[in-house]
Amino acid sequence: MTIDITRQGDGARGLYTARIDGHRAGELAYRIDRGTLTVLHTEALPDYRGKGVAYALVARLAEDARREGSRIVPLCWYARDKLNENAEWRDLVSGGN
């Protein structure tokens, strides 16, 4: 099973969308403000829960934040927990933890 993740944004808001076999499986919504990505919500759709979808979305967020030199403020409990659990991502977290 491959989880494909795309990212869309308009400069103020953004959305990561996860798809499995072309079907929408989950999303992670965020706000963007001066190099800070504020995570508002992470969700795996019911048919895809327990398959690593939400984790893959957070992993992609962390990868992009690191590459772009951004910080992450995780208001979403799931993103906060996963970012703080992973020692390689903790340095990206700013507030909200």
Side-chain angles (χ1 to χ4, degrees):
M1 173 184 73
T2 301
I3 301 171
D4 297 309
I5 299 175
T6 57
R7 181 183 185 187
Q8 299 173 319
D10 65 8
R13 293 182 145 320
L15 184 71
Y16 287 93
T17 303
R19 294 188 178 281
I20 296 176
D21 296 329
H23 300 282
R24 189 170 155 270
E27 66 183 29
L28 183 150
Y30 63 94
R31 267 191 331 250
I32 308 164
D33 184 31
R34 291 175 282 169
T36 299
L37 306 173
T38 301
V39 182
L40 305 172
H41 179 72
T42 306
E43 177 183 26
L45 297 180
D47 288 346
Y48 299 98
R49 290 187 182 143
K51 299 182 191 268
V53 171
Y55 187 85
L57 289 162
V58 173
R60 172 67 187 274
L61 168 80
E63 176 185 314
D64 288 350
R66 171 122 18 245
R67 186 180 64 256
E68 296 165 5
S70 298
R71 303 286 295 159
I72 301 171
V73 176
L75 299 183
C76 162
W77 68 268
Y78 182 86
R80 181 187 60 239
D81 288 354
K82 296 306 169 193
L83 289 164
N84 284 312
E85 285 173 8
N86 189 319
E88 293 180 18
W89 298 341
R90 278 188 216 129
D91 65 307
L92 299 170
V93 178
S94 177
N97 55 357

